[in-house]
Amino acid sequence: MRVAAVDCGTNSVRLLIADVRDDLIDDVDRRMEIVRLGQGVDRTGRLAPDALERTFKAMRAYRELIERHGAVATRVVATSATRDAANRQEFVNGVREIFGVEPEVVSGAEEAELSFVGATKGLLRLSPETEVPQGPLPPYLVVDIGGGSTEFVVGTEHAEKALSVDIGCVRLTERHLRAAGDPPSAPALEAVVSDIDAALDRVTDEVPVERAHTLVGLAGSVTTVAGIALGLPAYDSARIHHSRISAGQVHEVTRRLLSMTHGERAEVPVMHPGRVDVIGAGALILDRIVRRFAFSQVIVSEHDILDGIAWSLAR
């Protein structure tokens, strides 16, 4: 069954066209555009007109790809920025006009389940003796670091407990780092850490993280940190997917990113231009998670909520 999954997050809009059969997803086309839909939402509570137009432009191009590849079912999921926006109906109307389907502004809990299934179905098929030595062992803690929020999910085959907290690379950058110097000042970074740690206090209280044997990290902040840790000369999804990045590597890459100027970050080979401004906050979120919950490594997944959406269409 050929399906199309669209994930519209705070920072990017992404497309997966895939053939789903039995227990496998075969990619036909996978795309990502940085659109910054969540631009200013933390401050104004509304989606900006130019952010909506950037998003709709990317979606029109995706519609053409969906039609060209002959997908028989399409699902559009929107997450943190649209949950928070007072004018989200403008977004809903635009998406309906483009794709002919109603976008689903999903709850944090549903977002977590979709991300968990997308990230872990492949892990269940891995051989511990080959692809990932010494693991990965369930239960998993899946962490999806987005632009506006971060999802924490513990489970084995499905999400058993989940929490979405309002820390994300775009939200924290706009709140504390936008005018904090280049590289950002120590007081600004302390403010970011304070917000992250307060959110992790909630996670500690509400999610049984201590049950998890394996940390699985998702989304662009995590994959970018992985690409830097691996020393890749260019972004390479195949090399990054299911790579294992040690806690020490996470700490070192985060330290380097936070000490760089904007220009220096832009020159990092694996860096997408749309992540240059926000990668410091994203890396710091991952760093604080690893420190707080004492994981020795993170397994990086290129499969995430998009794959979970695709699986949901093929049920």
Side-chain angles (χ1 to χ4, degrees), residues 93-107:
N93 294 342
V95 172
R96 187 192 302 117
E97 180 182 344
I98 292 167
F99 291 111
V101 299
E102 192 83 7
E104 301 172 50
V105 183
V106 297
S107 67

Side-chain angles (χ1 to χ4, degrees), residues 11-283:
N11 197 43
S12 63
V13 58
R14 300 181 305 140
L15 168 71
L16 171 62
I17 301 171
D19 292 328
V20 183
R21 54 187 176 82
D22 299 326
D23 240 7
L24 296 173
I25 284 184
D26 293 327
D27 287 14
V28 175
D29 204 338
R30 193 182 287 257
R31 304 284 179 106
M32 186 270 288
E33 293 289 337
I34 301 285
V35 295
R36 295 284 174 88
L37 177 63
Q39 168 195 320
V41 168
D42 188 56
R43 176 176 52 84
T44 68
R46 298 181 63 83
L47 299 168
D50 53 338
L52 282 167
E53 184 47 43
R54 288 194 300 269
T55 303
F56 294 154
K57 180 180 179 181
M59 286 181 167
R60 292 184 194 104
Y62 287 172
R63 179 192 62 199
E64 294 178 5
L65 288 168
I66 291 168
E67 292 172 350
R68 185 188 312 161
H69 288 297
V72 299
T74 299
R75 185 180 182 189
V76 182
V77 166
T79 54
S80 177
T82 40
R83 281 199 301 267
D84 297 343
N87 61 332
R88 72 180 190 177
Q89 193 60 43
E90 294 178 42
F91 170 82
V92 170
N93 294 342
V95 172
R96 187 192 302 117
E97 180 182 344
I98 292 167
F99 291 111
V101 299
E102 192 83 7
E104 301 172 50
V105 183
V106 297
S107 67
E110 186 171 3
E111 180 181 355
E113 169 69 8
L114 290 168
S115 295
F116 184 88
V117 171
T120 61
K121 260 190 176 288
L123 289 177
L124 293 170
R125 292 194 305 272
L126 288 179
S127 165
E129 290 75 28
T130 55
E131 288 92 337
V132 185
Q134 303 171 359
L137 296 174
Y140 308 111
L141 171 64
V142 173
V143 174
D144 187 347
I145 301 175
S149 63
T150 296
E151 281 64 54
F152 294 79
V153 199
V154 169
T156 299
E157 294 187 15
H158 294 280
E160 296 164 16
K161 184 65 177 179
L163 180 67
S164 178
V165 292
D166 283 341
I167 52 170
C169 59
V170 175
R171 189 185 298 272
L172 293 181
T173 298
E174 291 189 348
R175 188 179 292 172
H176 298 297
L177 301 182
R178 187 67 74 201
D182 187 26
S185 66
L189 292 176
E190 289 170 4
V192 175
V193 168
S194 178
D195 280 6
I196 296 169
D197 287 353
L200 296 184
D201 288 341
R202 282 192 61 203
V203 175
T204 300
D205 290 341
E206 300 182 38
V207 179
V209 174
E210 70 282 355
R211 289 188 52 230
H213 294 300
T214 300
L215 173 63
V216 183
L218 315 183
S221 292
V222 178
T223 59
T224 301
V225 168
I228 297 169
L230 294 170
L232 300 181
Y235 195 92
D236 185 338
S237 178
R239 291 277 305 278
I240 290 170
H241 186 49
H242 288 161
S243 61
R244 296 183 303 150
I245 307 303
S246 72
Q249 289 174 303
V250 171
H251 304 328
E252 174 59 19
V253 170
T254 301
R255 184 197 65 75
R256 286 167 51 196
L257 287 169
L258 294 175
S259 68
M260 289 177 174
T261 65
H262 181 279
E264 289 169 338
R265 293 193 303 275
E267 294 299 317
V268 173
V270 300
M271 188 74 65
H272 188 288
R275 297 206 185 279
V276 176
D277 290 340
V278 299
I279 186 59

